[in-house]
Amino acid sequence: MADAEPDSAGEAPLELDHDDLEAAIEENPEAVAAFVRRLDAVNELLDVLALGERALSDEMARELASTGATLAESADGLATDGTVALAETVGENGAELGDALETVFELQQSGTLDDLAELASVLSLLSSALDDEMVRSLAGTGAALGEVAQTASDDDVRNGLETVLGSVAEAGREPTEQVGAVGLLKATRDSDVRYGLGYVLALAGAIGRAQSNDASGSQ
């Protein structure tokens, strides 16, 4: 073995002469072969990195730097209070939002979503077409219907309507015949007919009074 010269720290570095190197290779040929393979792979990697570094022109480096800056700006733009709140909402309601998206997808596939959009457009168009006079007219109609409903809810009105409707149903179940003046006189002898005529006369009088009040109020 060759003599080792001491280094600056006073320690002699390990040196092998040619005979010792051959002996080491003979003793561990597989380890030496594995070391050489690794060394070749490292050299190839260094060559590729060097080639890539040389291939990057100044313009490419500037473009890469600009792209990185743009991505950073995009990340800053996305990191707003609104997007953070939206992300939290999505995270908390992921399952519900997933079901909603599936429903929208099914509506889109079946064409129902387009129909709903067209219906919304038609309703919006009709709403825009309603002028003030039409709105007032509809409001007046609604108020009149409300008054009719309130009147119909009165106990006396309800009882009277039930009486009339029940009598109409009973009369429809019985066969009817033509009645002349003589038959009418004979029918007035029946107590039920006289009660009915009295009810009809009372109804006629109430209608007449209502018409008279309306006529006087309009003058």
Side-chain angles (χ1 to χ4, degrees), residues 7 58 64-67 75 81 110 128 138 151 153 171 178 189 208 217-218:
D7 57 9
D58 294 339
L64 289 175
S66 176
T67 302
D81 294 339
S110 62
S128 301
L138 289 175
T151 302
S153 64
Q178 292 184 353
R189 298 175 184 176
S218 61

Side-chain angles (χ1 to χ4, degrees), residues 137-147:
S137 177
L138 289 175
T141 302
L145 292 176
E147 293 175 358

Side-chain angles (χ1 to χ4, degrees), residues 120-204:
S121 299
V122 171
L123 292 177
S124 177
L125 180 62
L126 291 176
S127 177
S128 301
L130 288 175
D131 56 15
D132 294 339
E133 183 62 29
M134 294 174 66
V135 171
R136 286 194 294 270
S137 177
L138 289 175
T141 302
L145 292 176
E147 293 175 358
V148 172
Q150 183 177 1
T151 302
S153 64
D154 185 78
D155 292 340
D156 293 336
V157 175
R158 184 173 61 252
N159 293 334
L161 289 175
E162 290 179 355
T163 300
V164 172
L165 293 176
S167 300
V168 170
E170 183 178 354
R173 289 191 293 268
E174 297 178 358
T176 57
E177 299 177 356
Q178 292 184 353
V179 178
V182 177
L184 181 60
L185 291 175
K186 291 182 179 179
T188 56
R189 298 175 184 176
D190 187 286
S191 59
D192 292 337
V193 173
R194 290 198 297 269
Y195 275 120
L197 290 174
Y199 188 85
V200 171
L201 291 175
L203 179 61

Side-chain angles (χ1 to χ4, degrees), residues 3-219:
D3 296 336
E5 297 180 357
D7 57 9
S8 59
E11 296 180 356
L14 180 60
E15 295 182 359
L16 296 176
D17 58 15
H18 187 269
D19 295 336
D20 293 334
L21 183 58
E22 289 183 350
I25 294 175
E26 291 178 357
E27 292 177 359
N28 300 287
E30 296 180 357
V32 174
F35 172 76
V36 172
R37 286 195 298 270
R38 293 193 186 98
L39 185 59
D40 291 339
V42 171
N43 290 332
E44 290 178 1
L45 178 60
L46 292 176
D47 292 339
V48 170
L49 293 176
L51 180 60
E53 182 180 359
R54 288 194 299 269
L56 283 176
S57 63
D58 294 339
E59 183 63 27
M60 294 173 65
R62 284 194 296 270
E63 290 181 357
L64 289 175
S66 176
T67 302
T70 302
L71 292 175
E73 292 174 359
S74 299
D76 292 338
L78 290 174
T80 62
D81 294 339
T83 54
V84 171
L86 178 61
E88 291 178 354
T89 303
V90 172
E92 293 173 358
N93 305 279
E96 290 79 2
L97 289 174
D99 294 339
L101 289 176
E102 289 182 0
T103 301
V104 172
F105 182 69
E106 292 175 358
L107 292 175
Q108 176 64 35
Q109 283 188 324
S110 62
T112 305
L113 189 60
D114 294 336
D115 295 338
L116 292 176
E118 292 179 0
L119 178 60
S121 299
V122 171
L123 292 177
S124 177
L125 180 62
L126 291 176
S127 177
S128 301
L130 288 175
D131 56 15
D132 294 339
E133 183 62 29
M134 294 174 66
V135 171
R136 286 194 294 270
S137 177
L138 289 175
T141 302
L145 292 176
E147 293 175 358
V148 172
Q150 183 177 1
T151 302
S153 64
D154 185 78
D155 292 340
D156 293 336
V157 175
R158 184 173 61 252
N159 293 334
L161 289 175
E162 290 179 355
T163 300
V164 172
L165 293 176
S167 300
V168 170
E170 183 178 354
R173 289 191 293 268
E174 297 178 358
T176 57
E177 299 177 356
Q178 292 184 353
V179 178
V182 177
L184 181 60
L185 291 175
K186 291 182 179 179
T188 56
R189 298 175 184 176
D190 187 286
S191 59
D192 292 337
V193 173
R194 290 198 297 269
Y195 275 120
L197 290 174
Y199 188 85
V200 171
L201 291 175
L203 179 61
I207 293 174
R209 286 190 297 272
Q211 292 292 331
S212 176
N213 292 333
D214 291 342
S216 61
S218 61
Q219 294 178 354

